[in-house]
Every structure is written in C-alpha cells, then in structure tokens.
Amino acid sequence: MSVLFRASCVLLLGLLWFSLSPSASCRVRIPPHDQVARVARFVAHQCDWASMATISTHKPVVGQPFSNAFSVSDGPEGSGTGVPYMYLTRMEISVQDLEVNPVASLSMSLAQTDYCRQEGFDPQSPLCAHIILSGSVVEVNGTEAEFARKSLFSRHPEMIDWPSDHNWFFCKFNITQVWVLDYFGGVKTVSPEEYFNASLHRKHH
Ligand SMILES: *[C@@H]1O[C@H](CO)[C@@H](O)[C@H](O)[C@H]1NC(C)=O
Ligand SMILES: *[C@@H]1O[C@H](CO)[C@@H](O)[C@H](O)[C@H]1NC(C)=O
Ligand SMILES: *[C@@H]1O[C@H](CO)[C@@H](O)[C@H](O)[C@H]1NC(C)=O
C-alpha cells in the first residue's frame, strides 16, 4: 500500500467517523465524568421525569419504600437551577405518604434520554450516568411557585389543562445529598453546596 493511499484511507475514515459520531455534532454533551457535580446538574436538567421513592402509608406495604414516576423540571430548557420542581395533588398516592413523612428519594438517569441508547450503554452501567437525590419534598409559594410554574409548564404543556378540582400545588425537592453514578469505581457523593455551585455550562475564558 502506498503511503499516499494509506493516508487518504485514514482521512476518509476520520471524516466518516466524524459525520457518524452523534457527539461530534450539535447534541448537548455530558460534562467529563470526573466533574461529578456538573454531571449531576446535567442529568437533573436533561431528565423530564424522576422516580420518587417515599415511605409508604398504604396497606399492605406500610413502612416500605414505594417508588413512583413524577414529571419534574429544574428550569425552562437551557436554564436549569438544579432544584427539581413538581406539580402535585393530595389525591395522589405518593403525595399522601409525603403528608405523613416528607422524606423522599428521587432518581434520574440518562437512560431516559437518547444518550445511553445511542452510546450503547445499558441503563445499569455507570457509564449511563444516573443520580439519586436524598431529601424531602416541600411546598413552594409566591415567586418560587411562579418560577416552578414556568419551569414545569414549559416542559410539560399538558399540565396547564390538568383538572383544577384536584387542587394542584407546586413543590420542590429539598436536596440533602446527591449520589452520582457516572463512571466505574463506585458511587460518588456531592454535597448540596457543590451541586448548586456547579456550572451547567462549560466556562469560556
Ligand atoms: C404555602 O401555602 C400553603 C397554603 O396556604 C401553606 O400551607 C404552606 O405552608 C405554604 N408554604 C410555604 C413554604 O410558605
Ligand atoms: C431542607 O432540608 C434541610 C435539612 O433537613 C432543612 O434544614 C431545611 O429546613 C429544609 N428546607 C425547607 C425549605 O424545608
Ligand atoms: C465553586 O465553583 C468554583 C468555580 O468553579 C470553584 O472554584 C469552587 O471550588 C467551588 N466551590 C465549591 C464549594 O464547590
């Protein structure tokens, strides 16, 4: 094989890889796995829903963990705050648990986006980045409720038409600890201070 031929093959393969690789195009990119707090903020913003575990108050599983799906938003698309907001009603089974004990755990995974499927990562693989938030659910009022409304309704437009006789109210997840699985070597923890301090976007100097 001539040097010239080999060189053009390498170039061609390179171009092919570039055009086929989705991460090389316009798709939003996950932060480097060692920037754990930024990865957590990224996952929290990308996910439109979360599994929330409460401590059940319902027979026959009183006192046992009870996991259920909820729509969440930490801010309008592109401007995440890291605070997961929710739109809840006291008619809902998990919300009834929260009225007795507001402690809960939220989990969100990039398996909920196209990312893991496109990269070929199984949902249980740590490479398919996922986070678990520990804390409690608290109602928000006033300007924070206005922000919650804007955050949720922009990403979940059908909420606008949910039946008003259900007495919906806005809540936030009050984070006490963040657990991150984004690489091999076991779970990593991020304090709420580190989590909220982290920048969602790469800083340009
Ligand atoms: C928000 O308003 C509701 C209903 O008036 C009240 O029960 C709740 O304690 C308030 N929450 C906060 C955080 O002020
Ligand atoms: C959030 O949780 C922390 C730790 O449990 C608690 O001290 C704080 O009062 C809570 N914040 C709200 C708004 O409930
Ligand atoms: C907050 O972020 C800045 C800038 O990225 C960083 O230098 C600092 O160490 C961070 N502080 C905490 C408590 O994470």
Side-chain angles (χ1 to χ4, degrees):
M1 231 194 286
S2 80
V3 172
L4 192 64
F5 180 71
R6 245 184 299 169
S8 44
C9 278
V10 168
L11 182 69
L12 206 66
L13 277 174
L15 286 174
L16 199 66
W17 178 84
F18 186 79
S19 58
L20 291 179
S21 165
S23 55
S25 60
C26 59
R27 197 156 55 79
V28 194
R29 300 193 65 172
I30 184 170
H33 67 80
D34 54 342
Q35 297 180 23
V36 187
R38 284 188 63 209
V39 172
R41 288 288 298 276
F42 180 82
V43 175
H45 186 59
Q46 292 298 310
C47 293
D48 285 331
W49 62 274
S51 293
M52 178 168 68
T54 53
I55 297 168
S56 183
T57 55
H58 296 275
K59 282 182 194 156
V61 293
V62 175
Q64 295 181 24
F66 189 81
S67 181
N68 190 355
F70 286 88
S71 296
V72 299
S73 172
D74 79 332
E77 205 79 60
S79 47
T81 60
V83 179
Y85 289 103
M86 293 183 281
Y87 195 41
L88 303 177
T89 166
R90 292 183 215 288
M91 297 167 83
E92 208 282 329
I93 184 168
S94 302
V95 178
Q96 291 165 2
D97 297 340
L98 295 171
E99 291 197 279
V100 175
N101 187 345
V103 298
S105 172
L106 279 189
S107 92
M108 291 178 243
S109 168
L110 291 187
Q112 297 165 224
T113 70
D114 291 335
Y115 175 79
C116 299
R117 196 167 41 250
Q118 282 173 355
E119 300 288 330
F121 298 152
D122 187 86
Q124 198 174 319
S125 165
L127 297 177
C128 179
H130 45 293
I131 63 172
I132 299 125
L133 306 177
S134 298
S136 58
V137 177
V138 295
E139 187 173 348
V140 293
N141 291 327
T143 54
E144 192 169 12
E146 266 318 301
F147 182 76
R149 177 192 306 275
K150 204 173 85 182
S151 304
L152 285 157
F153 287 16
S154 62
R155 292 174 69 173
H156 304 277
E158 75 154 72
M159 281 182 172
I160 297 163
D161 299 317
W162 284 0
S164 57
D165 63 355
H166 285 30
N167 299 310
W168 299 94
F169 56 97
F170 294 97
C171 284
K172 70 171 167 190
F173 196 79
N174 180 18
I175 300 171
T176 55
Q177 178 81 295
V178 180
W179 310 79
V180 182
L181 285 146
D182 70 342
Y183 202 66
F184 306 109
V187 72
K188 283 164 276 188
T189 57
V190 172
S191 70
E193 293 71 30
E194 293 166 322
Y195 174 80
F196 288 115
N197 181 47
S199 168
L200 198 49
H201 302 284
R202 204 196 314 261
K203 290 203 177 71
H204 298 282
H205 296 284

